[in-house]
Structure formats: C-alpha cells, structure tokens
Amino acid sequence: MPELPEVEVLVQHLRPLLQNRRIRNASVRRAKSVHPTSVEVFEATLKGARIQGVERRAKYLVFQLKPRGFRKTIILLGHLGMTGRMYIQGRRTPFPKHTAVVLDLGCDVFVFEDTRYFGRMTLEARPLAQLGTEPLSKHFNAQAFGQALKRSRQPIKVKLLDQRLVAGLGNIYASEALFRAGISPRKPARSLNIRQIQALTAAIKRVLSEAIRFGSTVLLNFAGERDRDGLFYFGKRRITPRNYSERLRVYDRAGQACPRCGTVIKRIVQAARSTYLCPECQRH
DNA sequence: CACCATGTTCCTTG
DNA sequence: CCAAGGAACATGGT
C-alpha cells in the first residue's frame, strides 16, 4: 500500500479520528511489529496516553503521544512496509488475520494490520534521522538534487529509491517520475544533465502531488475493506474507479502501449526490483 | 511448483 | 570510510 502519497492520504484520514483521543489500552499481537521496542514497554507506554497529533515524514507516520503522567510529547513511529494497513473499526468487529497492534480507544478501536509483517509501530525514532529531503518541500530543488546525484554511478532509478536522497519515493512512483521526465532508468545518476535534473525534479513533485490529490478526492474506506481504499495498489487485482486508469502510466504495464507514443512498454530488473519504461520515450 | 509483489536492513565485497 | 549488490524478512496471489 505504501509510498509517500498513500501515507499522506492515510495520515490526513487518520488525523481527525485520532487527534486528542486517549488510548485506553494497547495490545501487541505480533512482537516483531514493534521491534526494537519490547512488547512490555510498548504496551505500558501507550496505555493511558493521549494522541496529540499525526504527521507524515517520508513513508513514516509520526504519532505524537503524551503518555499518562508525562509532560513531554514522545514519538510513536509507524511504517506500513509492503502490506501494512491502519484504520479505525468498531469495538465488536473481529480483528483481521494478520493483526499486528490494536489500540483500544474506548468507543472504537485502532487496528494495525500487516500481512507480511514488514511494517512497524515502534517507539524507536532513530530511522527518521537518516532520511533525506521531503520531495514536496521547497528544499527539494534541481540544485540540491543535482548535487546529491553527481557522485553516483548507480542507475538513476535505483538512486531514486535511496531514502537518504529523496525521502518517500518508492518503486511505483520512481518508474512513473522517470517516464514523465523522459529519462532512461538505466542512466547513471551522475550523467544526467541540468535539463534532465530539472525535468526529473519537476516530474517527482508532479507525480507525487497528483497521486495525493487523486487519493484525497476519491471516496476511501479504510475500514478493513481493502477493495475500497481506491488509492492503493494491490497487484493485478487493483480496482478501477473513474479516472484511475490514467493514474499509473507505465508501472505494471509491460506489453501494453505507451500512452504517449504507442511503443510497447518494457519491464526490466534493477537492484532486484521491477522497473517499467517506454524504450522510445526514455532513450536517454 | 514457479515466480512475483507498494520496503528496509544487514552482510559482504570491492 | 564509502559505494554497490544481494539475501533476508513473511505471506499470499497468479
């Protein structure tokens, strides 16, 4: 489910539902999901805490908590991994099969569900320190981006997944941004010229903000019904609300016609992950 | 059975 | 020390 836009939409959805609410009880159903925090510390710290706010940093959800008896705010970090989902459900609704964490909020319940258990909810905030620039901020510009690329021979697509460089791009939007910018994903990072860096910077911002806008305008239902949270990608069985078909132009479209020139879209493998491109529109 | 999947971390090699 | 590559993590869909 998760790259920057999906997390942003989720945070906007959760914020009004969680803000200023008290956690009556916290229950960890899968110890790995709160690692490196221990189950005991996690549950004891969250029990009775007030949720002061929910923010996003890169692909992380940042929950600000005020534990009972604390004056200071502490950070609870959430990451969805590949299959994580978070939502509020009724008290009497049964928990899904791969429930990782449950927060009892009184009249309803917050659920962190994660099929593959790659995601986390943890009190360890250190991962935030390693993150690079937020791609939608003004600090992410062609000048700074070009500076960061110039020492690397790695293919630009692989470089785009490096969270120390651009914090929040993932495998889907990396392919999409390169397509929009007309740049070959194989091109060594440091070989991009100024025009290409400018085009890629703009394409990244555009692809991400369009996805957020799309996700914010579509009717979403996160309450456990995965076929209803329309922004998100679920493999070949993705649902198709109106204007969804235009959203991803190359990702997972190997064998289909490029929407721009009609050439057949290709799938290649880079750093053990799929990249999709139009060999005609992305020659250099 | 085989291969693929929105992510990150850790280990090895150069 | 750094850059780069690959395995590992775990489960399910096709």
Side-chain angles (χ1 to χ4, degrees), chain A residues 114-237:
Chain A
D114 188 9
T115 309
R116 286 168 73 180
Y117 299 108
F118 288 176
R120 288 286 184 278
M121 275 189 100
T122 174
L123 297 170
E124 173 59 67
R126 245 177 307 182
L128 292 181
Q130 315 296 322
L131 295 170
T133 319
E134 278 290 320
L136 294 177
S137 82
K138 66 180 178 190
H139 301 292
F140 182 68
N141 55 46
Q143 163 105 52
F145 189 36
Q147 195 69 19
L149 293 179
K150 81 177 186 197
R151 280 195 341 273
S152 174
R153 300 165 203 260
Q154 265 189 318
I156 184 60
K157 154 62 163 45
V158 176
K159 214 60 196 157
L160 288 181
L161 298 180
D162 183 345
Q163 302 295 300
R164 296 167 303 182
L165 194 70
V166 192
L169 266 193
N171 205 38
I172 293 178
Y173 296 108
S175 280
E176 293 296 316
L178 286 165
F179 172 74
R180 298 290 190 99
I183 295 167
S184 166
R186 294 191 176 97
K187 199 168 167 53
R190 65 178 188 177
S191 74
L192 270 71
N193 64 36
I194 287 293
R195 299 190 65 83
Q196 291 177 313
I197 291 169
Q198 285 169 342
L200 185 52
T201 306
I204 288 169
K205 289 175 186 279
R206 183 159 161 228
V207 161
L208 295 178
S209 35
E210 273 180 12
I212 292 171
R213 192 170 344 122
F214 178 80
S216 313
T217 50
V218 164
L219 184 62
L220 298 181
N221 182 351
F222 292 89
E225 303 168 38
R226 50 177 58 227
D227 55 337
R228 293 297 191 83
D229 48 9
L231 176 61
F232 301 106
Y233 178 83
F234 291 114
K236 315 287 178 195
R237 289 174 58 89

Side-chain angles (χ1 to χ4, degrees), chain A residues 27-46:
Chain A
S27 161
V28 176
R29 317 271 294 233
R30 184 91 174 196
K32 190 199 166 203
S33 299
V34 298
H35 184 270
T37 305
S38 73
V39 172
E40 295 72 26
V41 168
F42 186 94
E43 291 179 343
T45 306
L46 266 64

Side-chain angles (χ1 to χ4, degrees), chain A residues 247-277:
Chain A
R247 209 167 75 74
L248 303 179
R249 300 192 183 174
V250 289
Y251 186 82
D252 201 23
R253 291 184 181 277
Q256 299 180 31
C258 166
R260 190 160 154 266
C261 76
T263 301
V264 176
I265 292 169
K266 248 177 90 179
R267 170 185 179 269
I268 62 173
V269 174
Q270 297 181 288
R273 321 225 27 210
S274 294
T275 300
Y276 297 87
L277 70 150

